[in-house]
Amino acid sequence: METLKRARNLKPIDQRAKNLIMFLGDGMGVATISAARVYQGQLKNQPGEENILEMETFPYVALSKVYNVDAQVPDSAGTGTAYLCGVKSNSGTLGVSAAATYGVCETANGNEVTSILHRAKLAGKSVGIVTTTRVQHASPAAAYAHSANRDWYSDNEMSSAMIAKGCKDIAYQLVHNTDINVILGGGRAYMTPRGTPDPEYPTSTSSQGLRKDNLNLTKTWLDQRKGSVYVWNKAQFDAVNEKTTDYLMGLFEPKDMKYELNRDRSMDPTLAEMTEKAIKILSKNPKGFFLFVEGGRIDHAHHDTNARNSLTEAVEFDKAVQVGGKLTSESDTLTVVTADHSHVFTFGGYTDRGNSILGRAPNRATDGLHYTSLLYGNGPGYKIVNGSRENISNIDIGGDYRQQTAVPLSSETHGGEDVAIMAKGPQAHLFHGIHEQNYIAHVMAYAACLEPYKDCPPNSGFLISSSITLLLTTLLTSLMW
């Protein structure tokens, strides 16, 4: 009855959004959300099924169709271009239209598309990126880079011919393309000259700088921005005064940040802590802000078929969503939680209420062996012992255990089904059904009156007229701005 009462009293917030926050759970399909809900509850010593994630409290829910222009099952670059730039593109390409050819660097020229982060900056807002991956990774890079290949993190990954044609790597574009106020995540190695010792792992050759052009992009970023701060460990991060800092770059690992279960708590902040720091810095701007927050390693653990790591990352992601809600107001901040794609991850087995989400199903399979409730359709968890499936009755299925898979692959694949969009705040009601993924960027731009939208919500509540609705619908049918 209470749920129905809340639904009946729900009214759209029909005004302009001052702030925009996009929370992106990389690889966080619906099955992952469901399993993470149970896992979070069980971490609180509850049965888990009736637990409610913070993201699940959002009043408006829709589905996103995640295919790329050239791919039925997408990758994180093509999807990032869709939800951040409002344009469907080819798999593996960043911030460019489908006219660009994957791997042909010069085809990005003239085919660049502009992200909502860049549009927000042009409108005078402060902007930021927070991720648990390297900041040059596909999802965050779609906010600022234009590249025919998502893997060109630095010029080390590019050929001399590409460089001679004037093609720029993603780290270079991070520093030069858009004036980003807050950049937090991993990725130190792509910012410094080849052979530069890493400050945290000075004797590790695999952690050294990678750049062939001898540029120190961290120094470049600092030199170009008055009053900017660079940090690489948690002590420095904690010491940053949000009230006096307008520009902050924090790179806490040479490449991706560590899984939460392996995180050095004395050296690296959590995703929630980075989110809090970012919002406190960005929210000083009276014109508002745009913030992109990615729980990027949900995806990586799924690729490894390690459900415990993936669900832990999803729970940490939800903590960041909760922080975002506490530090902003639903009246002026449009918050969107979504995923770029799902994984071939399943949750079943007729388990009893309260059964450990990482545990075994109660019955044996037709081969007489136990199996876990969580499984994968493909991936490295495939294991045959003496001609049959591995017997897991007496082995530890916690820790780094890889859930069993049906098809052997070195890395588990993405899934192609729709993913959830959860939204609250001004214009959140425009997420209302099943949408193309690029629709997300259009709604966020419309809500905040960013380019190309001129006929958009006023700063006080209003009812969208039929003519405005028609205009919005017409514009959103296009794959490009």
Side-chain angles (χ1 to χ4, degrees), residues 131-182:
T131 181
T132 51
T133 66
R134 62 202 78 181
V135 296
Q136 305 87 356
H137 209 258
S139 301
Y144 61 83
H146 311 286
S147 178
N149 189 326
R150 57 173 285 177
D151 293 330
W152 294 336
Y153 303 122
S154 73
D155 64 342
N156 182 65
E157 291 77 45
M158 302 175 71
S159 69
S160 299
M162 294 176 192
I163 295 169
K165 291 175 182 177
C167 300
K168 299 299 183 182
D169 61 87
I170 294 168
Y172 183 93
Q173 294 186 57
L174 170 66
V175 170
H176 292 92
N177 282 9
T178 303
D179 184 27
I180 304 174
N181 296 83
V182 176

Side-chain angles (χ1 to χ4, degrees), residues 131-452:
T131 181
T132 51
T133 66
R134 62 202 78 181
V135 296
Q136 305 87 356
H137 209 258
S139 301
Y144 61 83
H146 311 286
S147 178
N149 189 326
R150 57 173 285 177
D151 293 330
W152 294 336
Y153 303 122
S154 73
D155 64 342
N156 182 65
E157 291 77 45
M158 302 175 71
S159 69
S160 299
M162 294 176 192
I163 295 169
K165 291 175 182 177
C167 300
K168 299 299 183 182
D169 61 87
I170 294 168
Y172 183 93
Q173 294 186 57
L174 170 66
V175 170
H176 292 92
N177 282 9
T178 303
D179 184 27
I180 304 174
N181 296 83
V182 176
I183 302 168
L184 298 173
R188 289 193 296 256
Y190 307 107
M191 306 293 282
T192 55
R194 180 181 289 178
T196 302
D198 185 81
E200 187 173 356
Y201 313 105
T203 62
S204 170
T205 56
S206 62
S207 300
Q208 292 177 348
L210 293 168
R211 301 199 64 82
K212 296 184 294 187
D213 57 14
N214 208 37
L215 292 177
N216 185 326
L217 292 177
T218 303
K219 183 178 184 302
T220 299
W221 187 84
L222 288 168
D223 290 345
Q224 292 176 349
R225 290 157 181 84
K226 184 178 179 181
S228 56
V229 177
Y230 170 71
V231 300
W232 62 266
N233 61 54
K234 192 171 187 302
Q236 295 172 347
F237 173 81
D238 290 341
V240 172
N241 186 336
E242 301 95 345
K243 294 180 180 179
T244 59
T245 303
D246 294 325
Y247 287 93
L248 172 64
M249 178 186 286
L251 303 179
F252 302 103
E253 288 291 334
K255 295 178 182 176
D256 298 322
M257 294 184 70
K258 294 178 180 177
Y259 288 119
E260 173 61 22
L261 292 174
N262 300 325
R263 180 174 63 89
D264 184 339
R265 296 169 185 266
S266 68
M267 294 299 292
D268 298 341
T270 65
L271 182 61
E273 289 169 338
M274 291 191 291
T275 300
E276 179 176 358
K277 185 78 73 174
I279 292 175
K280 287 182 176 179
I281 291 173
L282 299 176
S283 60
K284 293 182 299 181
N285 188 336
K287 292 185 178 180
F289 65 85
F290 171 84
L291 176 62
F292 177 79
V293 179
E294 183 198 22
R297 306 221 66 193
I298 300 169
D299 173 78
H300 293 174
H302 273 326
H303 281 304
D304 199 39
T305 61
N306 184 302
R308 181 168 178 252
N309 264 332
S310 187
L311 297 185
T312 301
E313 294 299 308
V315 168
E316 289 299 305
F317 175 74
D318 195 62
K319 291 178 183 177
V321 175
Q322 186 176 40
V323 165
K326 288 181 177 178
L327 295 178
T328 59
S329 169
E330 194 170 342
S331 65
D332 67 2
T333 303
L334 172 60
T335 303
V336 177
V337 179
T338 190
D340 47 354
H341 54 74
S342 66
H343 281 265
V344 290
F345 172 69
T346 64
F347 173 16
Y350 296 117
T351 47
D352 298 327
R353 282 287 302 274
N355 190 76
S356 169
I357 192 66
L358 298 172
R360 299 173 181 84
N363 300 315
R364 295 174 186 258
T366 54
D367 59 8
L369 300 176
H370 282 296
Y371 62 97
T372 54
S373 171
L374 302 179
L375 296 166
Y376 290 87
N378 58 48
Y382 182 90
K383 191 173 184 180
I384 298 297
V385 178
N386 296 324
S388 64
R389 194 166 55 88
E390 181 183 30
N391 186 343
I392 64 169
S393 299
N394 298 311
I395 69 170
D396 180 10
I397 57 173
D400 292 328
Y401 173 74
R402 287 175 166 173
Q403 273 66 25
Q404 292 181 343
T405 63
V407 177
L409 291 176
S410 61
S411 178
E412 178 264 3
T413 72
H414 296 167
E417 73 272 17
D418 301 348
V419 298
I421 307 168
M422 294 157 279
K424 66 176 181 177
Q427 307 305 319
H429 59 283
L430 296 179
F431 295 108
H432 61 89
I434 300 175
H435 305 295
E436 294 288 356
Q437 193 168 41
N438 54 305
Y439 176 82
I440 297 171
H442 285 270
V443 171
M444 297 189 80
Y446 173 77
C449 210
L450 304 178
E451 289 290 341

Side-chain angles (χ1 to χ4, degrees), residues 87-107:
V87 177
K88 287 267 189 178
S89 65
N90 293 324
S91 180
T93 64
L94 284 170
V96 291
S97 73
T101 302
Y102 174 75
V104 182
C105 77
E106 65 270 24
T107 64

